[in-house]
Amino acid sequence: MSLTSVVNSSRPFFKQHVTRPAVRPSLPVRVPRTSDPSRMGSSIDYAMRYGCAAEFDTVSHRPTAHTALQRLAHALGPRSTTFRRTASEVRSAEALLSTLDSAEAFRPEHAEAALILGRMEVFARGGRHTLQYAHLLDDPPTNEQIAELMALYDLITWDALEPASLMALNPTFGDGSRWVGGADADL
């Protein structure tokens, strides 16, 4: 069961009891959307997590790409060519993002690595339907996606995020997370 399925099954309740406020855009769009918003959202999460780990000493980080690889190994077989290629890409992406330095710029290769990890999120959360997304494994990041992610990353105000003691990246909520299909927070 996912959070989306819980919300979808509750739509009649929401329609009856919750009114949607009129919202007018008050801020200009700073980064026009050029690609799949779901993948971009997961990718900026990865970029930000690794950026926080580079920026701050007090970071606890739990990557979800490993969960995705476990599910893929189960679905495709650990010896399959697709799984081995994907596992290698994920390891390379994680290694590259682990070298982020707060003093250097977020480069296109960093964005590409975050997009590769972001692509894996559907497998980390896909449950028993993992194979229906297998075609995404052959979907390399485009130049437009790389540029969009770099522009989003440039908007991060690092000094506003500085933790007082500990920053937990990608924390879960125990049983509460399992009840809704593995929900977690970004930071």
Side-chain angles (χ1 to χ4, degrees):
M1 174 184 291
S2 68
L3 184 56
T4 302
S5 66
V6 171
V7 170
N8 285 339
S9 67
S10 303
R11 285 198 189 277
F13 173 83
F14 285 121
K15 284 185 178 186
Q16 182 179 358
H17 298 287
V18 178
T19 58
R20 185 180 296 196
V23 177
R24 288 185 219 119
S26 58
L27 298 173
V29 173
R30 294 179 67 184
V31 179
R33 182 172 46 179
T34 60
S35 64
D36 175 27
S38 177
R39 182 174 181 184
M40 193 57 60
S42 297
S43 299
I44 190 64
D45 289 349
Y46 273 102
M48 191 167 173
R49 287 178 209 147
Y50 280 93
C52 285
E55 191 74 25
F56 309 116
D57 294 333
T58 55
V59 172
S60 171
H61 177 56
R62 184 189 62 83
T64 57
H66 295 282
T67 302
L69 286 177
Q70 290 170 352
R71 289 193 175 163
L72 278 177
H74 181 72
L76 300 173
R79 296 188 199 284
S80 78
T81 303
T82 301
F83 172 76
R84 291 188 319 192
R85 177 181 46 82
T86 302
S88 176
E89 287 176 347
V90 166
R91 283 191 297 273
S92 295
E94 289 177 329
L96 178 64
L97 287 171
S98 293
T99 67
L100 268 175
D101 185 326
S102 61
E104 73 176 42
F106 188 74
R107 300 187 314 265
E109 55 268 24
H110 294 131
E112 183 175 3
L115 284 156
I116 287 168
L117 296 179
R119 172 183 71 191
M120 299 305 295
E121 205 65 15
V122 70
F123 300 101
R125 303 182 191 289
R128 60 191 161 99
H129 303 294
T130 297
L131 285 180
Q132 79 183 37
Y133 302 109
H135 67 281
L136 295 176
L137 296 172
D138 296 321
D139 187 18
T142 65
N143 290 336
E144 292 80 17
Q145 289 171 326
I146 291 169
E148 181 179 355
L149 187 58
M150 290 178 68
L152 288 171
Y153 191 88
D154 284 344
L155 294 176
I156 299 170
T157 309
W158 294 106
D159 56 343
L161 295 174
E162 188 166 355
S165 58
L166 174 70
M167 177 183 287
L169 305 176
N170 201 226
T172 60
F173 306 105
D175 287 338
S177 289
R178 284 188 291 281
W179 294 335
V180 292
D184 54 26
D186 294 325
L187 70 102

